[in-house]
Amino acid sequence: MKKITILINCKDQSGIIANVTNFIANNNGNIVYIDQHVDREQNIFFMRLESEFYSFSMKTFKANFKSVLAEKFDMKWRIYDAENKPKMALFVSKYDHCLYDILGRYSSGELHVNIPFIVSNHNDLKSIADNFNIPFYHIPVTRETKTAAENAQLKLLKEHQIDFIVLARYMQIISGNLIEEYPNKIINIHHSFLPAFVGAKPYHSAFKRGVKIIGATSHYVTEELDAGPIIEQDVARVSHTHAIPDLIAKGRDLEKIVLSTAIKHHINRKVMVYNNKTVIFS
Amino acid sequence: MKKITILINCKDQSGIIANVTNFIANNNGNIVYIDQHVDREQNIFFMRLESEFYSFSMKTFKANFKSVLAEKFDMKWRIYDAENKPKMALFVSKYDHCLYDILGRYSSGELHVNIPFIVSNHNDLKSIADNFNIPFYHIPVTRETKTAAENAQLKLLKEHQIDFIVLARYMQIISGNLIEEYPNKIINIHHSFLPAFVGAKPYHSAFKRGVKIIGATSHYVTEELDAGPIIEQDVARVSHTHAIPDLIAKGRDLEKIVLSTAIKHHINRKVMVYNNKTVIFS
Amino acid sequence: MKKITILINCKDQSGIIANVTNFIANNNGNIVYIDQHVDREQNIFFMRLESEFYSFSMKTFKANFKSVLAEKFDMKWRIYDAENKPKMALFVSKYDHCLYDILGRYSSGELHVNIPFIVSNHNDLKSIADNFNIPFYHIPVTRETKTAAENAQLKLLKEHQIDFIVLARYMQIISGNLIEEYPNKIINIHHSFLPAFVGAKPYHSAFKRGVKIIGATSHYVTEELDAGPIIEQDVARVSHTHAIPDLIAKGRDLEKIVLSTAIKHHINRKVMVYNNKTVIFS
Amino acid sequence: MKKITILINCKDQSGIIANVTNFIANNNGNIVYIDQHVDREQNIFFMRLESEFYSFSMKTFKANFKSVLAEKFDMKWRIYDAENKPKMALFVSKYDHCLYDILGRYSSGELHVNIPFIVSNHNDLKSIADNFNIPFYHIPVTRETKTAAENAQLKLLKEHQIDFIVLARYMQIISGNLIEEYPNKIINIHHSFLPAFVGAKPYHSAFKRGVKIIGATSHYVTEELDAGPIIEQDVARVSHTHAIPDLIAKGRDLEKIVLSTAIKHHINRKVMVYNNKTVIFS
């Protein structure tokens, strides 16, 4: 039994759902999950579908899907073998809370993913990587070595055929070059409720503004800083009694949960990106 | 153009989705919304579907649906004309916060519903009903007159062909007789986070237990007190500084939002009930 | 028995608490509530105190307080008779949800306040004011008549000795002239999670940005638009399934609860403002 | 400079606050934090106070406090040297998420505590203890060896002069003997929103009942199962789409945050217990 996940988006038109479900039936598949969404403002159709097949050839199925469905409706589409674990690279710096949270989930089997390596511009978290038996590469980054460092990163990413990158409080700005190689495949955690408090030191800004709620936002990295498609957000209530270190401590709890939730959505192929926004299927 | 909503549940089996979507296509309908759920523990399949037709006869469609689909898969099913507004009766007592909230939404067009009348065992809220131009029936209830009162209520409900009843802090226990007439059609708001604090004075019990969060629960009324299928719940954080009147005041905000949310789910035919639980489609 | 509320702020220094509590004891008062806060970054001390006296003259007490305490510590201070109900003016436009919410609480006794009148630039909500027996003044505002309108408002406010103003989705910008007359005494509700989405149509901006959580913010009005001291905020989770009208509907629930909560803090003299931020005592 | 924390509770009476603040002033202390609470239903007064002294003898101060204040008002009281780190023992079983969360915070300096050892009835988590360089004692527990095991635990606790115990998903019931030795000093995390779903398998019960929100509760252990004073609770929204494993995964995030928050309250001496409830000072 083969289980696959299909993600589709295209211009909204009559008959898409019937055509897709028919196609699965005609290929002797059984649909076990279907969800769809229409953005009525933009007139775009989205669908996520899980289907099971007793006998299955990915190559043939994709070819048929393309000729029978995708071309007819001018679809963008992706098809995944549900058992195929994506390969995730972790970029970290000195903060350990997100790293512990991700690796704790990874080692307990909560994340259906492989982690070929961890990269950092500092050596501080190497012992954590060691404890979880994950290769750790220390690639320092200075203004002068930034391009060379990113080339070294890119080489590692290619060698390990990495599918997506997680910036687990990696404190460096990613260059356009790397972003272009991994479009909507670099997940960042920003420690504010975006679009409020873009950029550096958001907890300081939140304190200064006197907000009563702080937040964290996980998003795909795009060229514009902290402006990429939002995957997940969460918030926590604060008050005048919270000084900046209290906001930072409260924020750490938000950051780790929000980032891990975003990673899970991505791993489980529940995210579709369009117009700098996301559809997150349930 | 006719728009209909279809709700289906049956034993989970291969091919349901394909058969249903084909059926719609063969009847020249266009599916504009489809969502489905499988309870893998109980092996039950649920589906909610919205479809548009250029020409449509409800009678013919239902007959075909029954013979082609429903009998084949042994489905329980309901089909609604999406423009058809359900008729809702409001039962109130002396508290006005839920009533104001519902009528405010009703008069601003947020609720796609008709409200033929309000019933109360007290006269206190009559002026509110008058302000919103809704007929108000004062039917007092004492231990001796309970059966007669319920018969009077039932007469009103039948005369106005009421589809469902909302108990907006109606402080009387509904008898089995009335419940049987309106199965999963009587919506109550209970002022606790069920199943904690069943029965009378839940805020007093919450205070005594020293909980740090209080809640409210909207559910369908069944014979067992406060034990029916839960439609919606929400909570609010409290602390030792909140005395019982503070809990009651905080709770009023929860109650009105939770009840109105549950009413909206019901009106929009998003609720399916099974095994004393609900599926709430998005 | 007279109960008073004292609010103090001054530079943080040794001995303030002991001096204040001694002062109350020496005046035969019994402290029933004391809370204090120090902003360590700005080195500012804040205190809120409730005290009971068997015999009491406000005039004498204030004079003593000034000479014994306030001058010594260079305090800013306010003293209220706890039974004294503040006078609140409501400014509304066409939206009714906040108005219903406030008046529902008012009529049920939840708000310890007097409401001498409601002002609006439209006549739409007059019937609601009538239902609650509150005088309603229709003062239209156009670009040409804005100054004259604000003078008419100011005249009403002065005549009724209004203590503070609530903008319950009043869709006009308040001029500096009125703000100066009521500094930190004009409460607004903004339908976003400030500082995100300042200005007009925040739900449209939230939709466009693809946020996963929306919010509402109540703040004191200052000259800079939507930038005054924040009193209260709350949020609600949304998803790609929510179109703009859904955000607006969800937002209404946030707006009314957040505004009413801010009003209660203000009425109960729990708010202190400094550096464009608030201390909200519990 | 010596900083101390004082916790007081007694029958509510006139003049307590003035007497306490005077006492501090007369001992040349400067109050830097004061918070107080009165349970008006039970007529009990609570106070938490932080004070700084240039010269200080704990022994003398306590003796004076007792004779001048405590006996006069019949107070229960505790006084802590604020720099004194409490000693915390961790009891674990096989689940690692709470342990990782606690040790991550511990190693990053967020928890002002010493952890002399970890005890477990299984060996599974030994490597985690090793990674954080904390002694790990494997004390198996069977029905037959339960008393012997608890004696071994008690010996360890005494040897290391443990101040309080954290049950970080330790799946054994603690006997009355141990509870009596550490009254209100054993912190448990229960994976439900207490008082709902007491006892084993609460996520299964939550699933069966069809709740729309799940929770976690941290409380002090008392003889009655899951009925001790609640320190902290939090909740997460769920829906029909969440099967039992999804509830368990979501619950893990709640459990670790709630337990760590409760631990922080306890470490920072912010908790007072009375009548099986807690006061949690800010």
Side-chain angles (χ1 to χ4, degrees), chain C residues 2 4 27 53-59 61-62 79:
Chain C
K2 173 66 72 187
I4 64 167
N27 282 269
F53 298 82
Y54 278 102
S55 85
F56 188 82
S57 149
M58 183 63 91
K59 198 179 156 188
F61 186 84
K62 282 188 173 178
I79 299 178

Side-chain angles (χ1 to χ4, degrees), chain A residues 101-166:
Chain A
D101 195 76
I102 293 166
L103 296 183
R105 292 171 200 270
Y106 169 66
S107 72
S108 74
E110 188 179 320
L111 302 180
H112 188 70
V113 75
N114 288 316
I115 308 181
F117 63 86
I118 298 170
V119 152
S120 181
N121 55 336
H122 295 286
N123 231 334
D124 304 51
L125 306 186
K126 183 177 188 314
S127 65
I128 301 178
D130 292 349
N131 291 341
F132 286 88
N133 293 313
I134 298 173
F136 180 92
Y137 296 98
H138 177 207
I139 305 180
V141 178
T142 63
R143 196 170 301 193
E144 292 73 30
T145 65
K146 191 168 170 78
T147 306
E150 216 157 73
N151 287 338
Q153 292 167 354
L154 206 48
K155 190 156 167 286
L156 274 174
L157 294 166
K158 294 296 177 191
E159 276 173 16
H160 290 87
Q161 298 179 282
I162 290 299
D163 291 303
F164 72 106
I165 301 165
V166 170

Side-chain angles (χ1 to χ4, degrees), chain A residues 191-222:
Chain A
H191 39 314
S192 86
F193 184 82
L194 288 177
F197 309 128
V198 165
K201 293 196 175 276
Y203 294 127
H204 291 72
S205 305
F207 179 80
K208 187 159 184 295
R209 181 63 186 93
V211 293
K212 300 302 183 188
I213 289 175
I214 58 168
T217 304
S218 188
H219 63 94
Y220 289 116
V221 175
T222 56

